Amino acid sequence: MALRDCFSRYAFSSTFKNEKEINTMKRQRIFSIILALVMVFSLTSMAIGEGAGPIKIGILKWVTHGALDGAEKGFVDALAANGFVDGENIAIDYQNANDDMSIAATISDRFVNNGVDLILAIATPAVQSVQSKTNEIPILGTAVTDFVGAGLVDSNEVPGGNITGSSDLPSIAEQFDFMLKVLPDIKIVGIMYNSSEDNSRIQAETAKEAADALGLTIVEKTFSAVVDIPQTVESLAKEVEAIWLPSDNSISSAMDILSIAAVDMKIPLVCSEESQVASGGTFAIGIDYYNLGFQTGEMAVRILNEGANPAEMPVEHLKDMAVAINMEVAEAIGLVFPQDVLAQATDVSAR
C-alpha cells in the first residue's frame, strides 16, 4: 500500500473519531445545561411556594355535638382571620371518630401517613389517639379537661413534647355558686356522667368538693353507654332537686334524651357549657367552646408563622365563662330566673 494511501486512511479515521468525540461532548454539554435549568426552575418554584403545595392540617373530632363542633369552627375561623384559608394556602382534612377509638386510630394513621404539618385533636380520646401515632407532628388539643391527668403533657406550664392546647376545665365552684343563685332552696343535687370518660370523673370529684363546701348533698349515678342515659336520669331525678352535668361527650351528644326526661319530671339540668343548654338543658355558666377553639387556632398560627415549639407552649384556659339559659325549658318546668341572672344571660332556646 502506498504511503499516501496509508496517510489518507489514518487521517480519515482520526477525523471520524474526533467527530464522534465532539458529538458526544455536545450531547453531554446539552444534557448538563438542561439539568441545570431544571434545578434552577425547581429551586425558584420552591422559593416562591409553588410546587410544595399548601400546608396540610388534620382535624380529628371525637364525636359530633354542639361543644366540639363549636371548637372546630372557632379553630378554623382563627386560622382564616390570620391568613390561613382552607382551599387556598392550607388544606384541612376534617375527620370524625364517631365516639370510636378504632376509627380514631385509623384516622390518626391517615394523618401521619399523609405527612400533615399540624394536627388538631378535639376531646381527650382524640388527642390520646394521635399521641400514640407520632411524637414529631405538632398536636394541638382542645376540649380537654386535664392534659396532665390524661398523660398528654409533662406539665401545663411546660408540656415537654409535641402536644399542647387549650383546656375546657371550668370553675366548677363558680358553677355551684351560680346554681344556688338560681335555685337558692335546693339541698340535694344529682351528678351523672359516663364512667369511661376520664375528664368526667375528674369534674365529678371537683363538683363533690364544691357541693360539700356549700353544704349540699350529692347523689351520683354513672352510665357506660348512651342507651343507659334515659334510665339513669329518670332514676336520679327521683332522688334530687336538680342535676348538674359535666362537659361529658356522651351527655352532650344525648341532651335531647336527657331534656325530655328532665322536663317530664320537672327537674332543672344545670349544665357546664352553652351548647348543652341550647340542646335542652336548663341553664349554665360555663365554657364557650367557639372561643376556646378560636384561642387554639391562634396557638396554631404561632406554630405555623413563628415556628413556636409545642413543648414550650403552656396549656391555655379561657378566663371568662358565659351564662346561657333556655327559657323554653325553664317555662316547661316552672322555673323563674332572678332578674340579675336574666340581665347577664343569653337565651339560647331559639337557636
Side-chain angles (χ1 to χ4, degrees):
M1 180 182 296
L3 181 60
R4 186 171 60 185
D5 292 337
C6 289
F7 179 79
S8 297
R9 288 189 176 187
Y10 174 77
F12 174 82
S13 176
S14 298
T15 301
F16 180 75
K17 182 178 180 181
N18 289 340
E19 287 178 353
K20 287 180 64 179
E21 291 176 346
I22 290 170
N23 290 336
T24 300
M25 291 175 65
K26 286 182 178 179
R27 286 195 297 269
Q28 291 176 340
R29 182 174 296 175
I30 292 170
F31 177 78
S32 298
I33 292 171
I34 293 172
L35 181 61
L37 288 172
V38 169
M39 292 178 66
V40 169
F41 177 79
S42 298
L43 291 171
T44 303
S45 296
M46 291 175 64
I48 63 175
E50 297 178 359
I55 294 168
K56 293 185 286 186
I57 297 175
I59 296 181
L60 171 55
K61 182 167 59 179
W62 178 242
V63 69
T64 294
H65 62 69
L68 304 192
D69 295 348
E72 180 181 67
K73 186 176 189 311
F75 178 83
V76 174
D77 285 355
L79 289 177
N82 287 276
F84 293 96
V85 181
D86 188 25
E88 294 182 11
N89 55 352
I90 63 172
I92 300 178
D93 185 0
Y94 296 90
Q95 296 293 326
N96 190 326
N98 291 307
D99 200 20
D100 189 313
M101 207 62 185
S102 63
I103 296 176
T106 300
I107 294 168
S108 300
D109 283 330
R110 169 194 175 101
F111 289 164
V112 174
N113 293 336
N114 288 347
V116 299
D117 300 292
L118 183 143
I119 296 172
L120 171 70
I122 308 176
T124 300
V127 188
Q128 290 171 328
S129 177
V130 291
Q131 177 190 35
S132 68
K133 302 297 183 179
T134 177
N135 57 10
E136 296 179 356
I137 299 172
I139 297 170
L140 288 171
T142 191
V144 175
T145 299
D146 186 357
F147 278 79
V148 175
L152 301 173
V153 300
D154 295 337
S155 73
N156 287 326
E157 295 74 23
V158 185
N162 63 320
I163 299 175
T164 187
S166 59
S167 170
D168 64 356
L169 180 63
S171 171
I172 294 176
E174 186 176 347
Q175 289 181 338
F176 272 72
D177 287 340
F178 185 77
M179 183 195 308
L180 286 182
K181 189 174 185 178
V182 177
L183 305 166
D185 298 325
I186 63 169
K187 301 296 181 184
I188 305 174
V189 178
I191 296 176
M192 64 177 291
Y193 60 93
N194 187 334
S195 58
S196 65
E197 288 204 25
D198 292 337
N199 285 344
S200 301
R201 286 201 299 270
I202 293 167
Q203 292 176 75
E205 290 303 315
T206 305
K208 284 186 278 188
E209 293 173 5
D212 185 63
L214 295 171
L216 298 172
T217 299
I218 289 292
V219 178
E220 179 181 0
K221 291 188 183 296
T222 64
F223 59 90
S224 56
V226 172
V227 294
D228 298 326
I229 286 179
Q231 181 179 354
T232 304
V233 69
E234 288 174 11
S235 172
L236 186 59
K238 294 175 183 177
E239 303 179 47
V240 302
E241 298 162 282
I243 298 174
W244 176 82
L245 302 174
S247 54
D248 177 294
N249 288 304
S250 298
I251 285 175
S252 294
S253 63
M255 279 302 300
D256 54 342
I257 300 172
L258 271 163
S259 181
I260 291 170
V263 168
D264 285 345
M265 303 189 75
K266 308 297 183 184
I267 292 290
L269 294 178
V270 184
C271 304
S272 289
E273 44 96 2
E274 181 182 295
S275 69
Q276 289 178 337
V277 181
S279 299
T282 312
F283 65 89
I285 178 169
I287 295 293
D288 183 320
Y289 278 83
Y290 175 87
N291 290 341
L292 190 71
F294 196 96
Q295 185 169 321
T296 314
E298 292 179 325
M299 297 177 75
V301 170
R302 295 201 296 274
I303 293 173
L304 298 174
N305 264 348
E306 304 167 17
N309 183 357
E312 301 170 354
M313 299 174 69
V315 171
E316 299 187 6
H317 297 75
L318 278 181
K319 294 181 179 179
D320 299 323
M321 296 202 295
V323 176
I325 60 176
N326 190 316
M327 288 302 298
E328 290 181 6
V329 171
E331 291 172 4
I333 66 174
L335 175 64
V336 178
F337 290 102
Q339 285 300 315
D340 58 341
V341 170
L342 291 173
Q344 61 178 309
T346 300
D347 180 6
V348 298
S349 58
R351 293 184 181 179

